[in-house]
Amino acid sequence: MDMKSMREYMGWLYYQYLLITGIYVLEPWEQSIFNTVLFTMVAMVIYTSYVFVPIHVRLALEFFFELVRGQPESTVALMNQR
């Protein structure tokens, strides 16, 4: 892809973004506020996913592996067998 067609494609994507979100009817300062808020929210979702999702996946896997392996006998039951 040459640079002209890439620039036209990026312009087309931006135009689609304007149409889909409906911000083409806003004034430039309103568009910048909307884009800032949207970018901030997307950045927070990406950061939160990066930080917390692996922890939750690990905890969920440990929980389900414990269910598959079965519960060990309690120490009280082992002491009563003597």
Side-chain angles (χ1 to χ4, degrees), residues 45-64:
V45 166
I46 290 172
Y47 173 76
T48 303
S49 298
Y50 176 75
V51 171
F52 294 110
V53 168
I55 295 169
H56 286 91
V57 168
R58 181 183 55 84
L59 290 173
L61 287 175
E62 287 178 4
F63 174 75
F64 288 118

Side-chain angles (χ1 to χ4, degrees), residues 4 19 25 36-37 40 46 52 54 56 75:
K4 184 178 179 187
L19 289 176
V25 297
T36 302
V37 169
T40 303
I46 290 172
F52 294 110
H56 286 91
T75 54

Side-chain angles (χ1 to χ4, degrees), residues 14-30:
Y14 181 69
Y15 182 67
Q16 291 295 314
Y17 164 72
L18 291 177
L19 289 176
I20 290 171
T21 57
I23 63 173
Y24 65 94
V25 297
L26 300 176
E27 294 184 19
W29 68 272
E30 293 172 324

Side-chain angles (χ1 to χ4, degrees), residues 63-81:
F63 174 75
F64 288 118
F65 285 146
E66 280 294 321
L67 288 179
V68 171
R69 274 193 274 154
Q71 296 292 329
E73 292 186 32
S74 67
T75 54
V76 175
L78 290 176
M79 293 178 75
N80 289 336
Q81 288 179 356

